[in-house]
Amino acid sequence: QVQLVESGGGLVQPGGSLTLSCVASGSRHTLNAMGWYRQAPGKQRELVAYILSGRITNYADSVKGRFTISAETAKNTVYLQMNSLKIEDTGVYYCAAGLNRQTMGQAPYWGQGTQVTVSA
């Protein structure tokens, strides 16, 4: 049974940092595409960042220069280092994975989410 489990969320002050982790277990395949989405209260879910084959990265404009995504592909693990956090980064962060970019996030490769709250 495939399961994606996120960790590392929490409460942080503006300007602070957090690192999210996600481990995908139960997959028979190496997950070459892994990424993070987030959903803020009252807003649509958005793609924050993704990484392909452990090296090709892509970021939403709103997080460029502040967030860094990395992965240990052989371990089906992805990280999101978040620096200089802003109040608008608040939301539930979801891990997604797939064999490639086109299938990233298709069931069952979707996590339950971890809450990130940026507040003074």
Side-chain angles (χ1 to χ4, degrees):
Q1 182 178 357
V2 174
Q3 191 174 17
L4 274 63
V5 178
E6 303 100 335
S7 61
L11 173 64
V12 64
Q13 292 185 339
S17 298
L18 281 175
T19 300
L20 305 183
S21 301
C22 172
V23 179
S25 61
S27 176
R28 294 181 295 172
H29 308 286
T30 298
L31 302 172
N32 293 306
M34 300 192 79
W36 293 92
Y37 289 76
R38 69 183 178 190
Q39 187 164 21
K43 294 187 177 181
Q44 289 188 330
R45 189 173 295 176
E46 64 172 340
L47 178 60
V48 175
Y50 65 85
I51 185 167
L52 306 178
S53 301
R55 54 185 180 86
I56 300 170
T57 60
N58 187 278
Y59 298 92
D61 288 342
S62 59
V63 306
K64 282 181 180 177
R66 300 188 298 121
F67 290 12
T68 301
I69 188 169
S70 61
E72 295 182 76
T73 304
K75 297 181 179 180
N76 285 339
T77 300
V78 65
Y79 307 95
L80 187 67
Q81 174 68 43
M82 305 185 293
N83 298 326
S84 302
L85 282 161
K86 304 177 181 180
I87 291 175
E88 50 264 42
D89 293 318
T90 294
V92 180
Y93 284 68
Y94 298 90
C95 177
L99 301 185
N100 51 54
R101 174 65 183 94
Q102 287 70 31
T103 60
M104 189 180 76
Q106 293 180 3
Y109 297 102
W110 192 262
Q112 294 300 307
T114 185
Q115 177 69 44
V116 172
T117 303
V118 185
S119 175

